């Protein structure tokens, strides 16, 4: 090509170059548009053009311009696009020649094509995709595609703009070849979590008068980076849990969210602390965050648990939170009773409020589950007292008595107030030790013992027995005979008491006729310290034995003289001849006498009253009956065996004494009897005389004394009745039914002037003041021993109780 052009110009130079003309036209003129009046401009006339067969020589290039020979004009033959023609070369011109023949001439024509802004900047693609990690730092550069503008010069590409400019800025770099490099620079970091996709518009504008532009859309996808940590929904979770909950119980679920995406948002949970063995108790599900119980929680061990939970994403970012678990108490602990101090035994005389035991009670549970109340199951006689928090004392609340209860099982029960309540109990055994607080007690308040007279000395009579409610030594009794005297003789010469058995023995042989009874005291004493004792009265009664025969008092049996009872011959049937009087010093049946006619001269004439001893005639005495009658009367007592005495009664059946004398002079054996009789009579007379005088003196002096006393003290004129008890008095009324009769008799005997009423006390040595009306009060004035009551006193009032016959010695004469 090049060489062709060179060849062409060579040819031209060979030819004659007659002229040159230049035109300038804008591109894109429509077909037929005028380029220039070539004829005029070259100074050629139109004929020449025709004749010369003027033509355009364009060589190889396309024919954009044509020659109008008629008018001599250059016209656009074909629309010229400068960009096609010259690309970016400037200036852009079409060079051709107008060639004429005849003669050959040619003219050079240059048509410069000027640019018009007919091309907008253009990007190769409409959309560009970018994937940029959000972690990209500021300053990161992203090269963009350049825009192209075919126009040149001012109409060429002028500038770019990017919109929006929140994150990115544009940067144009000059290239080494003079071009421009366009870059997008990250100014503000991206955040996927805010905006995952961005669309930017890059606009390129040219510099033409009518600005044209081209755009490209830049689509930025923000790639996730693990720039966000998981976040728990709460920083602290609270929950509660009953102690003793089942393993596997789900407690709560924690959640942490990670706003990242994909794996960066994949959160796993774990427990990060392990104080108090938390990991043995709780577990957390790695992905769901559910917390479960895997062990046994005990409120008493720990009331709260704090779990530190960590949430972690795949990228290792984490967050933590706390779970506070409150353990709720369940009444799973019973009260625990701790006996701190107990007493095995306390004396029965311990004072009230004596502390028996001290204990501490506690319950590991809390609130009501741990509130404990204690009480005694069988309270009496103890109480329980809450002394201070959790401390209790058991006190004796009432008097203790070992004799009532010697041992107590004190059961303490403590229960808490949980629902249901738990309780526990403990039993302590307390012995009550003995104190010598009971005196011996005899089985009876008094004893009566009987012993038959004429006993062998040393015979055991009976046994007193006492008991003592105390224990052991305090109940070990010994029996002691208390000193006293019986009839002036120490009682110990009558009886003895065995110290340990209480057996009472007679020391001597008793004679009922000497002593009928006596009293003494036996003391029982225990071995306590100090000892306690009590005593009892024992009345020993001697029982009669029929050891005395009846004694005949009348008729007197004399040795020498003969006494005879006279019976006149005129005596009627039932005539009382005489009366046999006998006594028996025994008593009771032993002294119950009966009389029987044993022998008689004439059995048909007399009879003896079996009860009263009266001898009476049972038929009319006749002249034929002998003067001298001899009766033998036997007096028998009623004892077993009975004893008897015989008396001879002489009866003279006569009308005159001489008659009798002659008959009885031949009783030789009566002499001795008479001697005896004389002696007794003299003795009796002397004694009676003495007694009479003594009585007189005593009565007078007593009367004077009474009178003075009554004047001083009472101003009373009450008569004084001295009362002389008989020798054979039944002092304690063992034959009590006779007491009244006996009194009555004595009353009449001593002073018949006075009333028949008698207030007497057998055996007492009293003087009684008596109201004459017998209804007044009786007052004991004197209890001294009357001198009249001497044992040897001759004034004897003998009483034969059975038949109430009184025989007074001095009254016999
Ligand atoms: C106390 O308990 C013991 C043993 O259980 C028993 O042998 C005793 O009889 C009880 N005592 C009383 C007074 O209940
Ligand atoms: C005997 O007992 C009575 C009461 O039973 C008492 O009054 C008296 O003092 C006692 N006698 C002696 C000597 O202990």
């Amino acid at each position: 090509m090049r060489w062709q052009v060179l060849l062409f110009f060579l040819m031209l130079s060979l030819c004659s170059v007659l002229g040159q003309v230049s035109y300038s036209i804008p591109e894109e003129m429509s077909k037929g548009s005028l380029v220039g009046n070539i004829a005029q401009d070259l100074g050629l006339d139109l004929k020449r053009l025709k004749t010369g067969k003027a033509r355009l020589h364009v060589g190889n290039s396309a024919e954009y311009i044509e020659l109008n020979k008629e008018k001599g004009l250059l016209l656009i033959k074909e629309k010229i696009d400068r960009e096609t023609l010259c690309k970016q070369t400037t200036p852009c011109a079409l060079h051709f020649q107008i060639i004429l023949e005849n003669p050959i001439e040619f003219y050079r024509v240059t048509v410069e094509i000027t640019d018009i802004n007919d091309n907008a900047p253009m990007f190769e693609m409409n959309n560009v995709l970018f994937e940029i990690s959000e972690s990209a730092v500021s300053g990161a550069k992203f090269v963009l595609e350049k825009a192209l503008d075919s126009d040149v010069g001012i109409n060429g590409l002028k500038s770019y703009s990017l919109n929006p400019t929140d994150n990115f800025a544009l940067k144009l770099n000059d290239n080494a070849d003079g071009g421009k490099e366009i870059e997008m620079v990250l100014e503000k970091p991206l955040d996927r979590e805010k905006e995952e996709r961005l669309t930017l518009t890059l606009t390129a504008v040219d510099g033409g008068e009518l600005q044209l532009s081209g755009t490209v859309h830049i689509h930025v996808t923000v790639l996730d980076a693990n720039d966000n940590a998981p976040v728990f929904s709460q920083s602290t979770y609270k929950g509660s849990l009953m102690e003793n909950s089942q393993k596997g119980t789900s407690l709560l679920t924690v959640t942490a969210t990670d706003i990242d995406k994909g794996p960066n948002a994949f959160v796993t949970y774990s427990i990060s602390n392990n104080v108090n063995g938390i990991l043995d108790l709780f577990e957390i599900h790695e992905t769901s965050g559910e917390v479960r119980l895997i062990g046994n929680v005990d409120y008493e061990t720990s009331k709260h648990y704090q779990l530190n939970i960590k949430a972690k994403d795949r990228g290792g970012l984490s967050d933590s939170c706390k779970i506070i678990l409150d353990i709720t108490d369940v009444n799973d602990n019973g009260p625990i009773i701790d006996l701190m101090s107990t007493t095995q035994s306390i004396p029965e005389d311990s004072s009230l409020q004596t502390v028996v035991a001290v204990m501490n009670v506690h319950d590991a549970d809390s609130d009501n589950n741990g509130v404990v109340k204690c009480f005694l199951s069988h309270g009496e006689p103890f109480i329980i007292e809450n002394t201070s928090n959790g401390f209790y004392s058991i006190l004796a609340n009432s008097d203790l008595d070992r004799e009532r209860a010697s041992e107590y099982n004190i059961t303490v029960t403590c229960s808490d107030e949980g629902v249901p309540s738990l309780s526990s109990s403990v039993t302590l055994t307390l012995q009550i030790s003995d104190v010598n607080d009971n005196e011996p007690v005899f089985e009876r308040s008094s004893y009566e013992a009987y012993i038959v007279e004429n006993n062998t000395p040393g015979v055991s009579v009976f046994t007193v027995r006492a008991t003592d409610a105390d224990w052991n030594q305090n109940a070990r009794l010994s029996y002691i005979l208390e000193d006293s005297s019986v009839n002036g003789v120490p009682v110990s010469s009558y009886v003895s008491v065995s110290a340990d058995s209480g057996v009472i023995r007679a020391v001597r042989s008793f004679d009922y006729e000497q002593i009928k009874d006596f009293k003494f005291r036996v003391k029982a004493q225990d071995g306590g310290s100090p000892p306690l004792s009590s005593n009892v009265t024992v009345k020993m009664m001697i029982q009669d034995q029929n050891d005395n025969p009846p004694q005949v008092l009348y008729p007197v049996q004399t040795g020498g003289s003969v006494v005879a009872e006279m019976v006149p011959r005129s005596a009627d049937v039932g005539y009382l001849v005489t009366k046999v009087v006998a006594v028996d010093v025994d008593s009771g049946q032993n002294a119950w006498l009966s009389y029987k006619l044993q022998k008689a001269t004439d059995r048909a004439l007399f009879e003896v009253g079996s009860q009263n001893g009266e001898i009476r005639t049972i038929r009319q005495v006749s002249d034929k009956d002998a003067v001298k009658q001899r009766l033998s009367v036997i007096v028998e007592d009623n004892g077993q065996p009975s004893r008897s005495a015989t008396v001879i009664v002489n009866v003279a059946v006569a009308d005159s004494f001489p008659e009798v004398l002659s008959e009885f002079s031949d009783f030789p054996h009566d002499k001795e009897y008479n001697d005896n009789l004389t002696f007794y009579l003299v003795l009796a007379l002397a004694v009676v005389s003495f007694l009479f005088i003594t009585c007189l003196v005593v009565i007078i002096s007593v009367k004077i004394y009474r009178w003075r006393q009554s004047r001083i003290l009472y101003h009373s004129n009450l008569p004084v009745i001295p009362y002389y008890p008989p020798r054979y008095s039944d002092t304690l009324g063992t034959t009590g039914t006779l007491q009244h009769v006996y009194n009555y008799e004595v009353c009449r005997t001593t002073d018949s002037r006075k009333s028949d009423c008698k207030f007497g006390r057998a055996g007492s040595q009293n003087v009684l003041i008596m109201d004459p009306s017998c209804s007044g009060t009786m007052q004991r004035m004197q209890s001294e021993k009357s001198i009249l009551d001497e044992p040897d006193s001759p004034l004897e009032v003998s009483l034969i109780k059975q038949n109430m016959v009184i025989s007074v010695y001095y009254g016999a004469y």
Side-chain angles (χ1 to χ4, degrees), residues 92-124:
C92 177
L94 288 171
H95 298 277
F96 57 92
Q97 295 84 36
I98 299 175
I99 298 171
L100 297 169
E101 291 173 4
N102 301 323
I104 295 178
E105 307 174 308
F106 69 91
Y107 304 90
R108 272 195 267 170
V109 179
T110 302
V111 177
E112 189 189 356
I113 313 296
T114 60
D115 188 36
I116 64 161
N117 195 18
D118 60 345
N119 288 294
M122 242 177 60
F123 290 97
E124 214 162 78

mmCIF file of all heavy atoms in Angstrom, residues 92-124:
data_model
loop_
_atom_site.group_PDB
_atom_site.id
_atom_site.type_symbol
_atom_site.label_atom_id
_atom_site.label_comp_id
_atom_site.label_asym_id
_atom_site.label_seq_id
_atom_site.Cartn_x
_atom_site.Cartn_y
_atom_site.Cartn_z
ATOM 1 N N CYS A 92 -8.066 14.441 10.595
ATOM 2 C CA CYS A 92 -8.495 13.390 9.684
ATOM 3 C C CYS A 92 -8.849 14.055 8.346
ATOM 4 O O CYS A 92 -9.641 14.996 8.291
ATOM 5 C CB CYS A 92 -9.691 12.684 10.299
ATOM 6 S SG CYS A 92 -10.423 11.420 9.308
ATOM 7 N N ALA A 93 -8.232 13.639 7.309
ATOM 8 C CA ALA A 93 -8.493 14.298 6.033
ATOM 9 C C ALA A 93 -8.543 13.269 4.902
ATOM 10 O O ALA A 93 -7.940 12.203 4.999
ATOM 11 C CB ALA A 93 -7.385 15.304 5.742
ATOM 12 N N LEU A 94 -9.299 13.675 3.878
ATOM 13 C CA LEU A 94 -9.362 12.838 2.692
ATOM 14 C C LEU A 94 -8.516 13.522 1.637
ATOM 15 O O LEU A 94 -8.654 14.737 1.400
ATOM 16 C CB LEU A 94 -10.801 12.733 2.183
ATOM 17 C CG LEU A 94 -11.787 11.894 2.983
ATOM 18 C CD1 LEU A 94 -13.190 12.124 2.427
ATOM 19 C CD2 LEU A 94 -11.404 10.433 2.916
ATOM 20 N N HIS A 95 -7.644 12.802 1.093
ATOM 21 C CA HIS A 95 -6.790 13.366 0.037
ATOM 22 C C HIS A 95 -7.133 12.693 -1.262
ATOM 23 O O HIS A 95 -7.150 11.478 -1.323
ATOM 24 C CB HIS A 95 -5.310 13.120 0.383
ATOM 25 C CG HIS A 95 -4.888 13.788 1.655
ATOM 26 N ND1 HIS A 95 -4.498 15.139 1.715
ATOM 27 C CD2 HIS A 95 -4.796 13.314 2.916
ATOM 28 C CE1 HIS A 95 -4.191 15.410 2.944
ATOM 29 N NE2 HIS A 95 -4.385 14.327 3.707
ATOM 30 N N PHE A 96 -7.409 13.484 -2.306
ATOM 31 C CA PHE A 96 -7.674 12.912 -3.652
ATOM 32 C C PHE A 96 -7.280 13.962 -4.702
ATOM 33 O O PHE A 96 -6.957 15.114 -4.397
ATOM 34 C CB PHE A 96 -9.113 12.444 -3.777
ATOM 35 C CG PHE A 96 -10.132 13.496 -3.499
ATOM 36 C CD1 PHE A 96 -10.657 14.310 -4.573
ATOM 37 C CD2 PHE A 96 -10.581 13.736 -2.236
ATOM 38 C CE1 PHE A 96 -11.609 15.261 -4.295
ATOM 39 C CE2 PHE A 96 -11.529 14.699 -1.979
ATOM 40 C CZ PHE A 96 -12.065 15.464 -3.004
ATOM 41 N N GLN A 97 -7.315 13.519 -5.904
ATOM 42 C CA GLN A 97 -6.932 14.391 -6.998
ATOM 43 C C GLN A 97 -8.085 14.456 -7.999
ATOM 44 O O GLN A 97 -8.858 13.504 -8.121
ATOM 45 C CB GLN A 97 -5.669 13.851 -7.731
ATOM 46 C CG GLN A 97 -4.412 13.840 -6.878
ATOM 47 C CD GLN A 97 -4.296 12.610 -6.010
ATOM 48 O OE1 GLN A 97 -4.706 11.530 -6.459
ATOM 49 N NE2 GLN A 97 -3.765 12.760 -4.815
ATOM 50 N N ILE A 98 -8.114 15.644 -8.620
ATOM 51 C CA ILE A 98 -9.004 15.772 -9.739
ATOM 52 C C ILE A 98 -8.107 15.720 -10.985
ATOM 53 O O ILE A 98 -7.204 16.544 -11.130
ATOM 54 C CB ILE A 98 -9.778 17.089 -9.702
ATOM 55 C CG1 ILE A 98 -10.648 17.150 -8.429
ATOM 56 C CG2 ILE A 98 -10.633 17.318 -10.978
ATOM 57 C CD1 ILE A 98 -11.372 18.463 -8.237
ATOM 58 N N ILE A 99 -8.391 14.761 -11.773
ATOM 59 C CA ILE A 99 -7.562 14.564 -12.945
ATOM 60 C C ILE A 99 -8.350 14.971 -14.201
ATOM 61 O O ILE A 99 -9.513 14.571 -14.354
ATOM 62 C CB ILE A 99 -7.121 13.095 -13.049
ATOM 63 C CG1 ILE A 99 -6.270 12.755 -11.811
ATOM 64 C CG2 ILE A 99 -6.351 12.806 -14.365
ATOM 65 C CD1 ILE A 99 -5.951 11.324 -11.682
ATOM 66 N N LEU A 100 -7.658 15.773 -15.092
ATOM 67 C CA LEU A 100 -8.229 16.205 -16.345
ATOM 68 C C LEU A 100 -7.356 15.661 -17.473
ATOM 69 O O LEU A 100 -6.149 15.533 -17.284
ATOM 70 C CB LEU A 100 -8.284 17.732 -16.423
ATOM 71 C CG LEU A 100 -9.157 18.471 -15.395
ATOM 72 C CD1 LEU A 100 -8.857 19.981 -15.454
ATOM 73 C CD2 LEU A 100 -10.614 18.185 -15.673
ATOM 74 N N GLU A 101 -7.968 15.360 -18.544
ATOM 75 C CA GLU A 101 -7.255 14.897 -19.711
ATOM 76 C C GLU A 101 -7.295 15.969 -20.769
ATOM 77 O O GLU A 101 -8.090 16.891 -20.670
ATOM 78 C CB GLU A 101 -7.908 13.629 -20.222
ATOM 79 C CG GLU A 101 -7.712 12.470 -19.299
ATOM 80 C CD GLU A 101 -8.539 11.278 -19.795
ATOM 81 O OE1 GLU A 101 -9.198 11.282 -20.871
ATOM 82 O OE2 GLU A 101 -8.525 10.292 -19.038
ATOM 83 N N ASN A 102 -6.490 15.775 -21.690
ATOM 84 C CA ASN A 102 -6.452 16.668 -22.828
ATOM 85 C C ASN A 102 -6.277 18.053 -22.403
ATOM 86 O O ASN A 102 -7.255 18.781 -22.476
ATOM 87 C CB ASN A 102 -7.676 16.552 -23.766
ATOM 88 C CG ASN A 102 -7.873 15.216 -24.324
ATOM 89 O OD1 ASN A 102 -6.881 14.544 -24.644
ATOM 90 N ND2 ASN A 102 -9.119 14.833 -24.432
ATOM 91 N N PRO A 103 -5.292 18.469 -21.903
ATOM 92 C CA PRO A 103 -4.082 17.902 -21.297
ATOM 93 C C PRO A 103 -4.317 17.417 -19.942
ATOM 94 O O PRO A 103 -5.222 17.791 -19.182
ATOM 95 C CB PRO A 103 -3.120 19.069 -21.260
ATOM 96 C CG PRO A 103 -4.047 20.258 -21.089
ATOM 97 C CD PRO A 103 -5.317 19.883 -21.828
ATOM 98 N N ILE A 104 -3.395 16.611 -19.804
ATOM 99 C CA ILE A 104 -3.538 15.953 -18.442
ATOM 100 C C ILE A 104 -3.086 16.934 -17.390
ATOM 101 O O ILE A 104 -1.990 17.511 -17.448
ATOM 102 C CB ILE A 104 -2.692 14.684 -18.331
ATOM 103 C CG1 ILE A 104 -3.214 13.633 -19.311
ATOM 104 C CG2 ILE A 104 -2.689 14.161 -16.911
ATOM 105 C CD1 ILE A 104 -2.439 12.366 -19.325
ATOM 106 N N GLU A 105 -3.906 17.138 -16.655
ATOM 107 C CA GLU A 105 -3.691 18.010 -15.492
ATOM 108 C C GLU A 105 -4.301 17.353 -14.282
ATOM 109 O O GLU A 105 -5.269 16.630 -14.399
ATOM 110 C CB GLU A 105 -4.373 19.369 -15.644
ATOM 111 C CG GLU A 105 -4.121 20.161 -16.820
ATOM 112 C CD GLU A 105 -4.998 21.400 -16.846
ATOM 113 O OE1 GLU A 105 -6.261 21.223 -16.690
ATOM 114 O OE2 GLU A 105 -4.459 22.486 -17.001
ATOM 115 N N PHE A 106 -3.725 17.656 -13.169
ATOM 116 C CA PHE A 106 -4.446 17.202 -11.946
ATOM 117 C C PHE A 106 -4.262 18.206 -10.830
ATOM 118 O O PHE A 106 -3.259 18.958 -10.768
ATOM 119 C CB PHE A 106 -4.015 15.792 -11.507
ATOM 120 C CG PHE A 106 -2.616 15.669 -10.966
ATOM 121 C CD1 PHE A 106 -2.339 15.798 -9.629
ATOM 122 C CD2 PHE A 106 -1.489 15.442 -11.844
ATOM 123 C CE1 PHE A 106 -1.060 15.650 -9.165
ATOM 124 C CE2 PHE A 106 -0.218 15.311 -11.331
ATOM 125 C CZ PHE A 106 0.027 15.372 -9.983
ATOM 126 N N TYR A 107 -5.210 18.215 -10.024
ATOM 127 C CA TYR A 107 -5.286 19.118 -8.876
ATOM 128 C C TYR A 107 -5.460 18.312 -7.633
ATOM 129 O O TYR A 107 -6.195 17.343 -7.644
ATOM 130 C CB TYR A 107 -6.434 20.105 -9.002
ATOM 131 C CG TYR A 107 -6.398 20.938 -10.255
ATOM 132 C CD1 TYR A 107 -7.054 20.507 -11.476
ATOM 133 C CD2 TYR A 107 -5.655 22.154 -10.273
ATOM 134 C CE1 TYR A 107 -6.978 21.271 -12.630
ATOM 135 C CE2 TYR A 107 -5.610 22.901 -11.459
ATOM 136 C CZ TYR A 107 -6.287 22.464 -12.582
ATOM 137 O OH TYR A 107 -6.251 23.168 -13.703
ATOM 138 N N ARG A 108 -4.755 18.813 -6.645
ATOM 139 C CA ARG A 108 -4.867 18.090 -5.362
ATOM 140 C C ARG A 108 -5.954 18.707 -4.500
ATOM 141 O O ARG A 108 -6.046 19.947 -4.398
ATOM 142 C CB ARG A 108 -3.525 18.139 -4.645
ATOM 143 C CG ARG A 108 -2.632 16.993 -5.056
ATOM 144 C CD ARG A 108 -1.499 16.879 -4.083
ATOM 145 N NE ARG A 108 -0.357 17.665 -4.603
ATOM 146 C CZ ARG A 108 0.683 17.895 -3.862
ATOM 147 N NH1 ARG A 108 0.735 17.445 -2.547
ATOM 148 N NH2 ARG A 108 1.670 18.553 -4.319
ATOM 149 N N VAL A 109 -6.778 17.874 -3.986
ATOM 150 C CA VAL A 109 -7.876 18.321 -3.086
ATOM 151 C C VAL A 109 -7.714 17.623 -1.726
ATOM 152 O O VAL A 109 -7.465 16.403 -1.670
ATOM 153 C CB VAL A 109 -9.256 17.983 -3.687
ATOM 154 C CG1 VAL A 109 -10.363 18.432 -2.728
ATOM 155 C CG2 VAL A 109 -9.449 18.607 -5.048
ATOM 156 N N THR A 110 -7.769 18.421 -0.721
ATOM 157 C CA THR A 110 -7.760 17.841 0.647
ATOM 158 C C THR A 110 -9.048 18.248 1.342
ATOM 159 O O THR A 110 -9.401 19.442 1.391
ATOM 160 C CB THR A 110 -6.573 18.391 1.460
ATOM 161 O OG1 THR A 110 -5.383 18.093 0.776
ATOM 162 C CG2 THR A 110 -6.565 17.830 2.863
ATOM 163 N N VAL A 111 -9.711 17.270 1.790
ATOM 164 C CA VAL A 111 -10.949 17.529 2.569
ATOM 165 C C VAL A 111 -10.707 17.036 4.031
ATOM 166 O O VAL A 111 -10.481 15.838 4.280
ATOM 167 C CB VAL A 111 -12.166 16.812 1.971
ATOM 168 C CG1 VAL A 111 -13.397 17.035 2.840
ATOM 169 C CG2 VAL A 111 -12.435 17.266 0.560
ATOM 170 N N GLU A 112 -10.673 18.034 4.817
ATOM 171 C CA GLU A 112 -10.486 17.655 6.237
ATOM 172 C C GLU A 112 -11.865 17.363 6.863
ATOM 173 O O GLU A 112 -12.804 18.168 6.686
ATOM 174 C CB GLU A 112 -9.795 18.801 7.007
ATOM 175 C CG GLU A 112 -9.390 18.372 8.368
ATOM 176 C CD GLU A 112 -8.901 19.568 9.193
ATOM 177 O OE1 GLU A 112 -8.808 20.715 8.700
ATOM 178 O OE2 GLU A 112 -8.640 19.349 10.398
ATOM 179 N N ILE A 113 -11.893 16.280 7.554
ATOM 180 C CA ILE A 113 -13.150 15.888 8.230
ATOM 181 C C ILE A 113 -13.023 16.266 9.717
ATOM 182 O O ILE A 113 -12.098 15.819 10.418
ATOM 183 C CB ILE A 113 -13.395 14.363 8.163
ATOM 184 C CG1 ILE A 113 -13.186 13.820 6.761
ATOM 185 C CG2 ILE A 113 -14.754 13.995 8.725
ATOM 186 C CD1 ILE A 113 -14.151 14.337 5.700
ATOM 187 N N THR A 114 -13.885 17.132 10.126
ATOM 188 C CA THR A 114 -13.823 17.506 11.540
ATOM 189 C C THR A 114 -14.795 16.637 12.336
ATOM 190 O O THR A 114 -15.830 16.165 11.810
ATOM 191 C CB THR A 114 -14.158 18.992 11.716
ATOM 192 O OG1 THR A 114 -15.458 19.205 11.217
ATOM 193 C CG2 THR A 114 -13.153 19.872 11.005
ATOM 194 N N ASP A 115 -14.404 16.462 13.656
ATOM 195 C CA ASP A 115 -15.180 15.573 14.549
ATOM 196 C C ASP A 115 -16.438 16.259 15.018
ATOM 197 O O ASP A 115 -16.424 17.459 15.326
ATOM 198 C CB ASP A 115 -14.292 15.219 15.746
ATOM 199 C CG ASP A 115 -14.917 14.181 16.609
ATOM 200 O OD1 ASP A 115 -15.592 13.250 16.088
ATOM 201 O OD2 ASP A 115 -14.776 14.247 17.890
ATOM 202 N N ILE A 116 -17.448 15.561 15.070
ATOM 203 C CA ILE A 116 -18.609 16.046 15.825
ATOM 204 C C ILE A 116 -18.848 15.007 16.927
ATOM 205 O O ILE A 116 -18.435 13.821 16.837
ATOM 206 C CB ILE A 116 -19.863 16.223 14.942
ATOM 207 C CG1 ILE A 116 -20.335 14.899 14.373
ATOM 208 C CG2 ILE A 116 -19.627 17.254 13.854
ATOM 209 C CD1 ILE A 116 -21.747 14.942 13.899
ATOM 210 N N ASN A 117 -19.528 15.454 18.021
ATOM 211 C CA ASN A 117 -19.734 14.558 19.195
ATOM 212 C C ASN A 117 -20.869 13.617 18.916
ATOM 213 O O ASN A 117 -21.980 13.745 19.439
ATOM 214 C CB ASN A 117 -20.011 15.396 20.442
ATOM 215 C CG ASN A 117 -19.884 14.599 21.708
ATOM 216 O OD1 ASN A 117 -19.269 13.528 21.684
ATOM 217 N ND2 ASN A 117 -20.463 15.064 22.783
ATOM 218 N N ASP A 118 -20.553 12.686 18.259
ATOM 219 C CA ASP A 118 -21.601 11.734 17.904
ATOM 220 C C ASP A 118 -21.482 10.408 18.635
ATOM 221 O O ASP A 118 -22.275 9.515 18.438
ATOM 222 C CB ASP A 118 -21.575 11.502 16.393
ATOM 223 C CG ASP A 118 -20.255 10.944 15.923
ATOM 224 O OD1 ASP A 118 -19.283 11.010 16.728
ATOM 225 O OD2 ASP A 118 -20.198 10.397 14.832
ATOM 226 N N ASN A 119 -20.511 10.301 19.479
ATOM 227 C CA ASN A 119 -20.345 9.046 20.221
ATOM 228 C C ASN A 119 -20.311 9.299 21.721
ATOM 229 O O ASN A 119 -19.592 10.181 22.210
ATOM 230 C CB ASN A 119 -19.048 8.354 19.839
ATOM 231 C CG ASN A 119 -19.110 7.751 18.453
ATOM 232 O OD1 ASN A 119 -19.864 6.829 18.209
ATOM 233 N ND2 ASN A 119 -18.385 8.328 17.498
ATOM 234 N N ALA A 120 -21.123 8.535 22.393
ATOM 235 C CA ALA A 120 -21.104 8.617 23.870
ATOM 236 C C ALA A 120 -20.007 7.684 24.409
ATOM 237 O O ALA A 120 -19.617 6.733 23.731
ATOM 238 C CB ALA A 120 -22.448 8.169 24.422
ATOM 239 N N PRO A 121 -19.543 8.029 25.582
ATOM 240 C CA PRO A 121 -18.582 7.091 26.191
ATOM 241 C C PRO A 121 -19.288 5.748 26.370
ATOM 242 O O PRO A 121 -20.491 5.694 26.667
ATOM 243 C CB PRO A 121 -18.265 7.717 27.533
ATOM 244 C CG PRO A 121 -18.691 9.137 27.427
ATOM 245 C CD PRO A 121 -19.801 9.188 26.472
ATOM 246 N N MET A 122 -18.582 4.722 26.302
ATOM 247 C CA MET A 122 -19.212 3.404 26.343
ATOM 248 C C MET A 122 -18.382 2.423 27.172
ATOM 249 O O MET A 122 -17.160 2.423 27.074
ATOM 250 C CB MET A 122 -19.331 2.861 24.923
ATOM 251 C CG MET A 122 -20.751 2.637 24.505
ATOM 252 S SD MET A 122 -20.791 2.087 22.825
ATOM 253 C CE MET A 122 -19.863 0.620 22.903
ATOM 254 N N PHE A 123 -19.111 1.691 28.002
ATOM 255 C CA PHE A 123 -18.441 0.628 28.762
ATOM 256 C C PHE A 123 -18.665 -0.668 28.062
ATOM 257 O O PHE A 123 -19.698 -0.859 27.394
ATOM 258 C CB PHE A 123 -18.997 0.551 30.183
ATOM 259 C CG PHE A 123 -18.615 1.723 31.039
ATOM 260 C CD1 PHE A 123 -19.481 2.794 31.211
ATOM 261 C CD2 PHE A 123 -17.366 1.758 31.653
ATOM 262 C CE1 PHE A 123 -19.118 3.867 31.994
ATOM 263 C CE2 PHE A 123 -17.026 2.842 32.433
ATOM 264 C CZ PHE A 123 -17.884 3.893 32.618
ATOM 265 N N GLU A 124 -17.747 -1.485 28.252
ATOM 266 C CA GLU A 124 -17.853 -2.746 27.547
ATOM 267 C C GLU A 124 -19.030 -3.573 28.049
ATOM 268 O O GLU A 124 -19.701 -4.259 27.310
ATOM 269 C CB GLU A 124 -16.561 -3.538 27.718
ATOM 270 C CG GLU A 124 -16.187 -4.367 26.515
ATOM 271 C CD GLU A 124 -14.750 -4.756 26.575
ATOM 272 O OE1 GLU A 124 -14.443 -5.697 27.344
ATOM 273 O OE2 GLU A 124 -13.907 -4.110 25.915
#
